Amino acid sequence: MNGRADFQEPSAEVPRPITHIGPDYIPTEEERRLFAECNDESFWFRSVPLAATSMLITQGLISKGILSSHPKYGSIPKLIFACIMGYFAGKLSYVKTCQEKFRNLENSPLGEALRLAQARRRSSPPGHYYQKSKYDSNVSGQSSFGTSPAADNIEMLPHYEPIPFSSSVNESAPTGITDHIVQGRNFS
């Protein structure tokens, strides 16, 4: 017994209502299988190749003298760093592929939440974002992988116009400061 009362009739097929996908969400068996599959595929098809490639490139740069090796530990610290960065880059590069697999999953509350979030992003104009009120109903607003309260409230990042950059010394100097020497009184 799991400690929860189950008041459904055994023959009734009632889909679970989507109220909130958060840290307390318990994935279905199919979702667990897909999580394991995504984890394995992201490791073998993205993380391992990117980690190995980044380590080979780093070792090549050290061998050519472009990167210096540590006097005591040699190339090991830089190779470990390259391996770790390649591993995480591989995991991050697989996120969209895994989300697509969950979106295609039938009868999945998590897949439904991802489909709703994607539809919401497509329906809003580009560069537009809005912040949900904390008083809004949670039924209509699911997050895509809502682990952070801040991530649940911001739907899309704002569009910022680029600021022109100038490397001229005169434009970057604070106002009120001049480069000329102030002529003072001659006290001779």
Side-chain angles (χ1 to χ4, degrees), residues 16-185:
R16 295 190 307 186
I18 301 174
T19 56
H20 179 66
I21 304 291
D24 56 341
Y25 174 71
I26 299 169
T28 64
E29 196 60 41
E30 186 68 18
E31 290 170 343
R32 286 187 194 140
R33 184 198 60 76
L34 199 55
F35 274 125
E37 179 182 313
C38 283
N39 193 29
D40 286 346
E41 289 178 1
S42 68
F43 179 76
W44 289 111
F45 300 127
R46 300 283 176 95
S47 291
V48 169
L50 281 175
T53 304
S54 63
M55 288 175 65
L56 286 172
I57 291 171
T58 302
Q59 184 59 44
L61 293 173
I62 290 171
S63 297
K64 288 185 176 186
I66 296 172
L67 290 177
S68 62
S69 61
H70 191 273
K72 183 176 179 182
Y73 301 112
S75 62
I76 299 295
K78 286 187 172 87
L79 290 176
I80 289 173
F81 180 76
C83 180
I84 291 170
M85 290 297 110
Y87 172 81
F88 284 116
K91 286 290 187 178
L92 288 174
S93 71
Y94 204 73
V95 167
K96 288 199 184 274
T97 305
C98 193
Q99 284 179 343
E100 188 60 35
K101 287 182 177 191
F102 275 99
R103 271 189 222 107
N104 295 334
L105 198 60
E106 295 294 322
N107 299 324
S108 165
L110 187 56
E112 181 65 26
L114 286 170
R115 286 188 291 273
L116 286 174
Q118 182 182 26
R120 197 173 328 141
R121 278 192 299 271
R122 286 184 179 167
S123 67
S124 66
H128 178 266
Y129 74 99
Y130 65 93
Q131 190 165 358
K132 289 190 269 183
S133 168
K134 64 181 180 180
Y135 303 109
D136 283 350
S137 170
N138 208 9
V139 172
S140 64
Q142 285 79 21
S143 65
S144 58
F145 267 109
T147 56
S148 163
D152 287 345
N153 289 336
I154 305 261
E155 288 302 315
M156 198 168 158
L157 295 176
H159 176 69
Y160 292 108
E161 295 296 324
I163 298 172
F165 175 75
S166 173
S167 61
S168 171
V169 175
N170 292 338
E171 290 179 358
S172 63
T175 57
I177 298 177
T178 58
D179 292 330
H180 68 279
I181 299 172
V182 178
Q183 298 290 331
R185 290 191 212 170

